[in-house]
Amino acid sequence: MRRVVWLTSFLLLVAVAVLVWVQVDRPPAVEVSALPTTIGRDVPLRFTVHSPGPGLERVWVVAQSGQNSWQVYEQRFERQTWRGSGVERVDLEVAPDWPRMGIPEGPLVLQIWARTYGWHLRGHDRAPLWQHTLELDFTPPRVEVLTTQHNVRLGGVELAIWRQSPDAVRSGVEVERYFFPGYLGYFSDPQLALALFAVPQDLDPSVQARVIAEDRAGNRTVVQLPVRVLARRFAERTLLLDDEFLVRKVPEIEAANQLPATGSLIDRYLRINRELRHQNEATLRELTRTSDPNPKWLTAFHRQSNAAPLSSFADRRTYVYRGHEIDRQVHLGFDLASIKASPVEAAQNGRVVFAGNLGIYGNTVILDHGMGLFTLYGHLRSIDVPVGATVKRGQTLGLTGETGLAAGDHLHFSVVLHGVHVDPVEWWDEGWIRKHLIAKLSPHRPMAAASQDDLEQ
């Protein structure tokens, strides 16, 4: 009998031990994605709750402001087996409508709570898993547009000036999918911002432009910018490709850019004309992402001396091989030619941000002229300036050549605004500079004396 009692007690003890081992789990834990110190009405909260074992029963989020509290989120997990829900991890995104819930702007304590189906030696739901103090801000920045008229040709550039409230941390001009950042610090009024913006050649003339401003909380103000876009027709050109050109150029470009020499000669050419071209434009956008905040574009740009144009901006090119159309591309720049190995001259004062091979452009120099404006000099035979060098208007950068996807000796010249190719003709025109740029800057006093000197040139 004693043996039976002992065995029964032992089995009961084992059963209890197994049950405890199965049901007892560690307290749940939470991971919260990087959270700003200030959030607005549209900033989501992302977090992950872990609970190994029987699984989560309930997760909820509480906000406290002063003596008031609100449950801003809750999710329950139904029991799936006798043990629990089996949910050991849940990734959540919470986007409370703070104003609708009556939660005021100002300091806020945010708490994440959880309850599980497991047994815990201490009450795991008696205190929040996570707590954080932040600031709620629903008020967007203020923006007042000061420039009233913006006449721009398709593919051209204009200048906008606006005043923004001190809480704005990002502002600029949006034109469809393109964004052109604003710059502070040029004017004596610290809240005045300006931006060069383009209406890129691939957009419709009916496009709308707008000034946007955002604060740290993600609140956003949008103000329509009065813009009149002048439509234009770009030249259409047909380029005839022959075997002599392909045999000479394709292996040269492949070797310079570590491209595989696989497929037919025409397939390899198309890989260069399409894929490499696309990669080069992506590199160019990256190179022009940051810029000197001081403008060096307040006088007309120098045009390559004694050079005749071989093409104009945004030519629509059709490529024909053995009587058949094989490709279409847009030529984003000007081709200028004079005599072979001519000196290539800087169009404006600037700093060298790139000097080397750039795919279809061959040996290339890129200059930063401030506030997002750059010039590109391609197909060079040689380069005479290093990255980081400061150059003057008219200074020699190298010699013309036919590196890259060039059929003969010439200079490919592009003007680029924050990665967007724009028409160089405007920048060669002193009258355009004065009418579209200086006339808008003049009513507002610049911060630095050097800027005033530029305006008076």
Side-chain angles (χ1 to χ4, degrees), residues 302-354:
H302 172 69
R303 186 182 181 279
Q304 180 77 357
S305 299
N306 304 314
L310 299 178
S311 69
S312 53
F313 173 71
D315 286 354
R316 273 51 178 164
R317 291 185 169 182
T318 300
Y319 298 81
V320 174
Y321 176 66
R322 295 182 179 178
H324 299 285
E325 178 184 324
I326 61 167
D327 204 7
R328 291 192 179 191
Q329 298 292 340
V330 178
H331 182 255
L332 298 171
F334 255 80
D335 287 341
L336 301 169
S338 55
I339 60 174
K340 202 169 186 177
S342 296
V344 173
E345 301 147 342
Q348 187 56 280
N349 298 343
R351 183 176 63 88
V352 180
V353 296
F354 182 84

Side-chain angles (χ1 to χ4, degrees), residues 340-374:
K340 202 169 186 177
S342 296
V344 173
E345 301 147 342
Q348 187 56 280
N349 298 343
R351 183 176 63 88
V352 180
V353 296
F354 182 84
N357 175 63
L358 189 60
I360 65 168
Y361 295 109
N363 293 332
T364 301
V365 172
I366 299 175
L367 303 182
D368 176 12
H369 305 293
M371 292 189 177
L373 192 70
F374 297 78

Side-chain angles (χ1 to χ4, degrees), residues 229-246:
V229 181
L230 307 178
R232 60 188 295 191
R233 186 180 181 85
F234 297 104
E236 297 184 7
R237 301 181 187 275
T238 299
L239 272 64
L240 302 178
L241 304 174
D242 57 30
D243 290 326
E244 185 276 330
F245 172 76
L246 297 177

